[in-house]
Amino acid sequence: MRTKPIEDVVAQGGDDEGGGPRLRRRLGPLDLMGFGIGIVIGTGIFTLTGIEARDHAGPAVIVSFVLAGVASLLAALCYAELASSVPTAGSAYTYAYATMGEIIAWIIGWDLVLEFALGAAVVARGWSGYLAELLHLPGSMFGESSTVNLGAVLITLVLGGVATVGIRQSSRVTNVLVVVKVAICVFVVVAGAFFVTAANLTPFVPPARPAGEGESGLTRPLSQVLFGLEPSAFGIAGVLTAAAVVFFAYTGFEAVANLGEETRRPKRDLPLGLFGTLAISALLYVLVSFVIVGMVDYRQIDPGAPIASAFSSVGAGWASALVSIAAVAGLTSVILVDIVAIGRIGFAMSRDGLLPPAAGAVHPRWGTPYRTTVVVTVGVALLAGFVPLSSLANLVSIGTLFAFVIVSAAVPILRRTKPGLERPFRAPFSPVVPVLSALACLYLMTNLSVETWLRFLAWMVLGLVVYVGYGRRRSHVR
């Protein structure tokens, strides 16, 4: 339970030369928002909207996105305080090390590696599928039925190369992709508004009815198994269930906090990057979901391609190609930011001695943790190429929420242990807001299936074996 002195954390992320290897400060607030929107606006806006409207909330999926946005805002307030106070690589891992102890920090770091690596692999396979559909490529090499998903491997290797060469190059590529997909999302809202009808929005909250019959205990949410609750669709309960699911569409903004050591003015720019990401993403989610449920009856929504099918249903099928382009751009930026984030986490853990020193080596010209990034890229490419990951996708969500709980708890702990620490941004109404954030995230975790929890625990046990065998004895704090 030994903690890392906050003075050491600040020194490592500072501008003096005494803190050991460091990354280069090259990012501004617009770059941070580009990275944030690049990872947040991805599969959620292209799939979750239709699925949750059809299966759980009806037109009230709009409210679900609002509620999920509020829960994300609570976590973002905690991230903003810690990121601006301790602007260094590692985000939640570093915050836990300074407040709760080394073993908790290791668990969080190991958890974040799972979140971002698996997320990149899942999205790479989705990217390959969208590209195959857009360009009519053979499913034997680009589809889920392929032995080796060539498209997923290639896009991972290309983007891993971009992430290795430099943070500025990664930022430029991400910003271009973000402009493309945000522009097409705005087009969807403006063009789709002409086809919205009041009849499709009534009833706004469909009457509740039972759902989920025949599910096994492992596939049911943990809360239902523990408390003997019966699953239901629609009604207020359906809206809340949908909110728990679409919350995961907002996850990823914490990758902005991972870039604290590469931000030119972190005390000002990190909060701007975090809140700018959430504000733009939430606005797009709410508007796009409104247009979809307004264009087509929620019972007729195609869950695989809700936006494209909505335009097709009103005779505007020509727009589906634009939507596919936006999906490819959106998923590309998600993969890139995931790989960038893992590199920074590995760098921070190596600098603390919990991973081998080679993992933290910074390239003298590119200024990036190139060895970690290369290893991560190869690992993600192998996963994306050979392993169908649809059954493991929920691990991304539980990893994110677990990190959010730790970050929320770290805010009041650090205020108590280091009251004199400079805090350019302070989360309001502490400890009330951090406690609400932690409780909201814990509630959402209980809405994940039992099998997801079991897989998550298995990954944590493996991480503890690695820590006991290597990191515990080589820790620089020790």
Side-chain angles (χ1 to χ4, degrees):
M1 301 307 293
R2 53 193 174 225
T3 59
K4 184 177 180 179
I6 195 68
E7 295 79 10
D8 291 354
V9 176
V10 174
Q12 285 182 334
D15 297 319
D16 64 284
E17 297 299 323
R22 63 188 67 252
L23 305 173
R24 298 180 184 175
R25 297 193 182 277
R26 295 178 171 178
L27 302 178
L30 293 180
D31 299 312
L32 295 176
M33 280 188 270
F35 274 112
I37 296 170
I39 194 171
V40 173
I41 302 294
T43 51
I45 204 165
F46 299 109
T47 57
L48 283 181
T49 307
I51 293 173
E52 293 310 305
R54 190 193 67 169
D55 295 344
H56 290 119
V61 71
I62 302 168
V63 178
S64 300
F65 271 105
V66 173
L67 294 175
V70 172
S72 299
L73 176 62
L74 293 175
L77 289 169
C78 299
Y79 262 100
E81 174 170 326
L82 295 176
S84 61
S85 305
V86 191
T88 186
S91 85
Y93 156 78
T94 304
Y95 310 150
Y97 211 160
T99 57
M100 300 180 184
E102 184 174 283
I103 185 63
I104 304 299
W106 169 264
I107 290 173
I108 286 295
W110 189 252
D111 162 64
L112 290 174
V113 169
L114 170 73
E115 172 195 343
F116 289 117
L118 193 58
V122 170
V123 174
R125 293 184 72 91
W127 181 95
S128 182
Y130 269 108
L131 186 70
E133 183 176 348
L134 181 63
L135 302 180
H136 306 290
L137 299 173
S140 59
M141 292 188 293
F142 291 85
E144 278 299 304
S145 59
S146 60
T147 303
V148 179
N149 194 316
L150 185 61
V153 172
L154 290 178
I155 189 60
T156 301
L157 294 177
V158 170
L159 295 178
V162 174
T164 302
V165 167
I167 192 66
R168 286 300 302 160
Q169 289 77 4
S170 301
S171 175
R172 291 182 186 123
V173 172
T174 301
N175 289 342
V176 170
L177 296 171
V178 166
V179 168
V180 171
K181 64 181 174 181
V182 169
I184 294 180
C185 287
V186 172
F187 162 79
V188 167
V189 172
V190 174
F194 291 98
F195 301 101
V196 172
T197 61
N200 289 329
L201 297 172
T202 306
F204 188 71
V205 181
R209 63 172 176 79
E213 296 180 4
E215 291 184 340
S216 71
L218 289 178
T219 58
R220 292 179 59 193
L222 180 67
S223 59
Q224 293 180 8
V225 174
L226 291 179
F227 301 110
L229 303 176
E230 291 298 326
S232 64
F234 308 112
I236 300 301
V239 173
L240 295 175
T241 298
V245 175
V246 301
F247 173 85
F248 307 136
Y250 289 94
T251 60
F253 70 85
E254 71 273 21
V256 173
N258 261 311
L259 303 173
E261 198 166 320
E262 294 161 274
T263 303
R264 286 192 293 267
R265 290 177 289 184
K267 295 179 180 180
R268 186 202 71 168
D269 292 348
L270 282 171
L272 288 176
L274 285 165
F275 297 132
T277 294
L278 270 184
I280 294 173
S281 301
L283 181 62
L284 287 175
Y285 277 139
V286 170
L287 292 177
V288 170
S289 61
F290 168 75
V291 167
I292 292 175
V293 296
M295 290 175 67
V296 61
D297 187 290
Y298 70 90
R299 289 163 290 216
Q300 307 301 321
I301 290 177
D302 178 4
I307 301 177
S309 65
F311 277 100
S312 298
S313 69
V314 296
W318 53 270
S320 62
L322 284 176
V323 172
S324 296
I325 293 172
V328 170
L331 300 180
T332 302
S333 62
V334 173
I335 301 167
L336 177 56
V337 179
D338 276 333
I339 293 174
V340 169
I342 303 173
R344 276 62 192 166
I345 295 166
F347 167 78
M349 297 174 76
S350 170
R351 187 166 58 182
D352 292 331
L354 301 183
L355 289 177
V362 176
H363 195 278
R365 178 181 175 186
W366 301 331
T368 61
Y370 67 106
R371 289 178 179 169
T372 298
T373 305
V374 169
V375 172
V376 164
T377 299
V378 173
V380 171
L382 291 174
L383 286 172
F386 293 96
V387 184
L389 293 173
S390 57
S391 62
L392 299 178
N394 280 340
L395 281 171
V396 181
S397 303
I398 196 170
T400 303
L401 288 166
F402 184 56
F404 284 6
V405 171
I406 297 299
V407 169
S408 301
V411 170
I413 292 176
L414 197 57
R415 284 199 185 185
R416 183 176 182 84
T417 57
K418 291 292 179 181
L421 179 67
E422 181 185 1
R423 292 174 171 83
F425 178 88
R426 297 176 68 90
F429 308 112
S430 180
V432 176
V433 166
V435 169
L436 288 176
S437 174
L439 291 176
C441 293
L442 286 171
Y443 165 73
L444 293 172
M445 289 176 73
T446 64
N447 282 272
L448 294 170
S449 66
V450 174
E451 63 183 355
T452 298
W453 277 87
L454 293 176
R455 289 167 178 162
F456 178 67
L457 292 175
W459 175 256
M460 290 295 104
V461 170
L462 176 61
L464 289 175
V465 172
V466 174
Y467 171 73
V468 171
Y470 182 89
R472 184 177 64 88
R473 290 174 295 173
R474 292 171 173 82
S475 161
H476 291 172
V477 172
R478 178 174 183 267

